[in-house]
Each structure stands twice: as structure tokens, then as C-alpha cells.
Amino acid sequence: MQVNHHIAQLPAGYLFAEVARRVREYEAREPALPVIRMGIGDVPGPLAPAVARAFADAALGMGTPEGFRGYGPEGGYPFLIDQILRYDYEARDVRLERDEVFISDGAKTDTAALQELFSRDARIAVTDPVYPVYVDTNAMAGRLGSYDDGRWSNLVTLPCTFDNGFVPVLPRERVDVLYLCYPNNPTGTVLSKVQLKQIVDWAREHEVLIIYDAAYKAFIQNPDIPSTIYEVPGAKEVAIECCSYSKTAGFTGVRCAWTVIPRELKGRLPSGVQVALNPLWRRRLGSKVNGVSFPVQQAAAAVYSPEGTAQVQDCIRQYQENARLLLEAIAGTGLMTAGGVHAPYVWLKTPGGMSGWDFFDYLLETASVVGTPGEGFGNSGAGCFRLTAFSTREHTLEASRRIVHALKKL
Ligand code: PLP
């Protein structure tokens, strides 16, 4: 058997494994202070009580003749899709039909799989730094060429840095697909509706497909910032949107998400003839997927109940407050920061031009605090560092205090 050499040639999945290795070694030396983890994007939980109850009731119901469900619709149960249409879209004046929404087990699953819709030679663009899934999955499919000196030969990267205010400069060269993630992981930054409209207009003009990852939209605090790309006129013609309950409602271990593929959205066949992507995706699902379990979809639907909404929003507010506390503490040190307002991530420029990895080691050794080096998210992340608000208030306050103390020692 010949293996897929594109997978064999991938650079090692280095970032979080390396972070874990360094923390393990440090903890083995029995440091005076317990380690506080402000690095990984997992939520501390627990699930909202209304959600957990719906999940449990549906699971117990499966043990009864009335409550049992076998295979569900591969694109998701209408009872969940209708909640999404109403609360995630109609509430923002966006009208979608049931068959434009596909329930799945994760935004990672979908952002990874959507590239199956692209031709083998589609040219891919990503922002840099970037959530690595978009790059890795296209690399595995053989679209990105060779990886030399930390760069893919056939990938277009759009730097998003402190210097350009984290707004990607659109490429002059031809691209077929652009992946966007807003609110952004890892920088925590957002785009205004005007900025997003410029990208949508460019995509329409040049027939570029946008994959819009809105996994963190629940953190947006300002109604003027688009919570869905479809708030931008014309976006339905060019954009697929991926959303998730992971960060909204603590579903990282439960697994539920959705993807929108509007009927208007089209690509071209080799003949030049236009073809709608929505039926192609449904066709693909029919062959590859048997849907998300009934109890999980019941749990997701409970996020929209009055009780569930209040509990989930309360939890988001706690993370938002954690991010504010982090930002407030770091602001006093003079370090440059981004994000942390409409996203659970605070992005900072390391002091004195340190690399992200050197700053990682320094914070670990001096403060027993773990963050994530920006280098792990792409070349434009060099010299930057990510802290997350997915923690308790106590840990956030303690980590902030320790970070400020460590910075003073430099
Ligand atoms: N998209 C982004 C930008 C993320 O940061 C993450 C998780 O960290 C995901 C998607 C994964 O979402 P899910 O848990 O729904 O697979």
C-alpha cells in the first residue's frame, strides 16, 4: 500500500505537544507555585444545568420505546435547526432555510472537511497567524506544495499583525478559497461590518469562496460587529459559515456544531459551468455521515430555552470578565495587547523582542503560568503570545498578578 505522502510530510503537530512537554518537565522539578494553565482553548465547564438536564433526559429516553431514536437525518434534526434559524440568524435579520443548515459534531470537523469540495489545484489563502486546521487539512489533501523553512510553497498567507491592525490585506494574486475566523483565534480581534464587506465584495468580484469560522461569535459584545457573515449583503453568494456550541455553551466534550451553506453559493466545474455547493455537501454527507446523536442535539436545543440562554450567557460573561481582568492587568505593564474584548483570547507582543517560546519559558519559570507562543500559529505570530480567558476568576486574578510581577523583573 502506498501511503498518502502529504500526511507523511506534514510538519510534526508540535505546538501543544511541546507546550505539554515543557510543563511536564517543569512540574517534575516541583516548583514552589502550582502551575496555572492559561494556554489551551478548552473551557473549564461545567455544562449549563438546563443543557445537562436535556442531555440526560434524552439519553434516558433512549432506553424507552417512546424515547428511542435510531439514525437521524444526516443534516440534523429540524427541532435544532429551527432554533438556529430563529435565534442565530433571524434575530440578526438573516433569513435562511432549513436545508441550508447542517448539524455536525464540531467546527473542527467541518472546517477540516469542507476542503473536499475544492478541486485538487484550488489555491488557498489563510490569515497568519491562523487556527492550524485550515492549513493542515489542505496540506493533507496535497494542495499546499512542499514545506520548506516553515512555509508552504503553494499557500497564500495574509499577515494580521499589530502593524496592520490585524486587518488582512487582500491578495493581488488569484486565490480560490479564503479562510477567515472572526472573532479570531488566536489574536482575539474582530472585523467591523465595513471591513468584512470589503472582503465579501472582493470575493464576489473574484469568485473566491470564503470559509467563515464563527466559533467564537458568542463573545461579541457590540451589536455593530457582525455575528454572522450573512449580515453583509451578498455574503450568501460567496461564504460558508461554521459555528459551534463548544465555546458558546461548553460543548467541547459533548460535540455539536453547525455549518451554513446557502443555496445561492456556487462554484465552477472544470467545464466552467456553475454548480451549487449545498447539494454537493448534502451528497457528501449522505455517503460519509450518519449525523449527531439525538441526546446531543437535544442538549444543543436546550441552549436556546429561556433557562439555558440565561445560564449560558452568564458563563460567557464570566469569561468576558476574565479577559477584561487580564487586559487590565497587562495594560499597566505597557505591553502591546490585542483582543480580549469580543473574544476569549488576549494576544500580546512579548517584551524586549523575545520570541514567543522564550517568553513562554520565562513565564513558566518565573510565574508558573502557561500561555501559548505565537509562533505555533504561523510566522506572523512570532514574538507574540496568547493567553486565554477560559479559566476561573480566581485563577485569572492569580495568573494576572504573577504575570505582572514577572514582567517587572525583566
Ligand atoms: N474553530 C476555531 C477557530 C477554534 O479555535 C476551535 C477550537 O479551538 C474550533 C473551531 C473547534 O471547534 P469544535 O470544538 O466545534 O470542533
Side-chain angles (χ1 to χ4, degrees):
M1 194 279 284
Q2 300 258 329
V3 299
N4 177 347
H5 64 279
H6 301 297
I7 297 184
Q9 282 165 10
L10 275 178
Y14 172 70
L15 177 64
F16 288 108
E18 181 60 15
V19 165
R21 188 188 68 77
R22 293 188 192 203
V23 175
R24 240 187 347 263
E25 275 185 22
Y26 176 70
E27 284 186 315
R29 283 187 267 132
E30 299 188 1
L33 293 171
V35 169
I36 301 181
R37 288 171 169 78
M38 308 290 283
I40 292 179
D42 200 356
V43 293
L47 285 178
V51 170
R53 200 174 316 115
F55 195 8
D57 286 350
L60 287 172
M62 293 284 274
T64 66
E66 320 73 61
F68 176 76
R69 298 285 186 290
Y71 291 125
E74 74 255 356
Y77 282 101
F79 67 76
L80 177 55
I81 294 177
D82 286 349
Q83 303 290 324
I84 293 170
L85 294 180
R86 180 160 170 209
Y87 293 105
D88 288 281
Y89 295 103
E90 277 167 32
R92 309 285 299 196
D93 278 337
V94 173
R95 310 267 160 234
L96 290 168
E97 301 296 327
R98 266 190 193 158
D99 66 0
E100 296 179 297
V101 177
F102 299 86
I103 307 297
S104 81
D105 70 352
K108 185 177 202 170
T109 311
D110 285 351
T111 54
L114 281 165
Q115 49 79 28
E116 291 183 22
L117 288 175
F118 319 156
S119 74
R120 181 53 224 290
D121 56 0
R123 198 155 164 77
I124 309 298
V126 294
T127 56
D128 176 15
V130 67
Y131 177 55
V133 170
Y134 319 145
V135 175
D136 288 357
T137 51
N138 278 288
M140 289 185 207
R143 281 190 197 94
L144 301 190
S146 56
Y147 187 74
D148 303 304
D149 289 337
R151 283 180 196 284
W152 288 102
S153 60
N154 203 20
L155 174 68
V156 178
T157 53
L158 313 180
C160 291
T161 62
F162 282 95
D163 292 337
N164 65 15
F166 300 94
V167 181
V169 176
L170 295 171
R172 286 181 184 281
E173 63 196 284
R174 159 103 215 125
V175 302
D176 296 287
V177 182
L178 169 61
Y179 286 83
L180 293 177
C181 171
Y182 290 101
N184 187 257
N185 177 17
T187 66
T189 56
V190 289
L191 291 181
S192 68
K193 201 180 266 187
V194 172
Q195 288 164 333
L196 195 53
K197 181 172 183 305
Q198 279 165 359
I199 301 180
V200 167
D201 289 349
W202 164 83
R204 291 173 75 193
E205 185 182 341
H206 298 283
E207 292 195 12
V208 178
L209 171 68
I210 297 172
I211 307 289
Y212 193 75
D213 184 344
Y216 296 94
K217 71 182 186 135
F219 290 83
I220 294 172
Q221 306 209 33
N222 178 343
D224 293 337
I225 294 169
S227 96
T228 155
I229 193 169
Y230 305 120
E231 286 178 49
V232 175
K236 284 187 184 175
E237 291 163 32
V238 286
I240 291 177
E241 179 167 282
C242 301
C243 301
S244 170
Y245 296 100
S246 283
K247 313 301 161 94
T248 308
F251 271 49
T252 51
V254 177
R255 313 304 303 144
C256 198
W258 76 89
T259 282
V260 176
I261 308 188
R263 288 178 184 165
E264 292 94 318
L265 184 56
K266 296 197 171 74
R268 283 193 192 275
L269 294 169
S271 61
V273 169
Q274 285 200 314
V275 57
L277 299 188
N278 179 300
L280 292 190
W281 188 247
R282 194 168 295 282
R283 176 69 186 83
R284 174 199 170 275
L285 284 190
S287 293
K288 291 202 169 186
V289 171
N290 268 330
V292 177
S293 81
F294 175 72
V296 164
Q297 293 192 59
Q298 283 286 341
V303 169
Y304 300 95
S305 68
E307 239 187 326
T309 303
Q311 292 162 356
V312 160
Q313 280 177 352
D314 192 44
C315 188
I316 297 274
R317 267 196 294 276
Q318 287 174 33
Y319 299 140
Q320 284 168 332
E321 171 65 4
N322 289 348
R324 195 191 64 74
L325 291 170
L326 272 173
L327 276 181
E328 190 180 77
I330 296 166
T333 68
L335 282 191
M336 282 171 83
T337 60
V341 181
H342 306 292
Y345 298 119
V346 172
W347 186 244
L348 51 91
K349 206 171 192 125
T350 55
M354 279 171 125
S355 77
W357 280 110
D358 285 348
F359 188 61
F360 172 91
D361 288 335
Y362 178 75
L363 267 195
L364 185 60
E365 299 284 339
T366 326
S368 282
V369 170
V370 181
T372 314
E375 283 81 355
F377 300 101
N379 295 324
S380 295
C384 294
F385 200 72
R386 191 190 77 173
L387 292 168
T388 94
F390 290 128
S391 188
T392 60
R393 182 183 174 88
E394 293 67 39
H395 277 161
T396 306
L397 282 169
E398 175 61 11
S400 304
R401 197 188 58 73
R402 291 191 202 169
I403 292 169
V404 171
H405 191 63
L407 287 169
K408 282 194 186 136
K409 287 197 197 160
L410 274 170

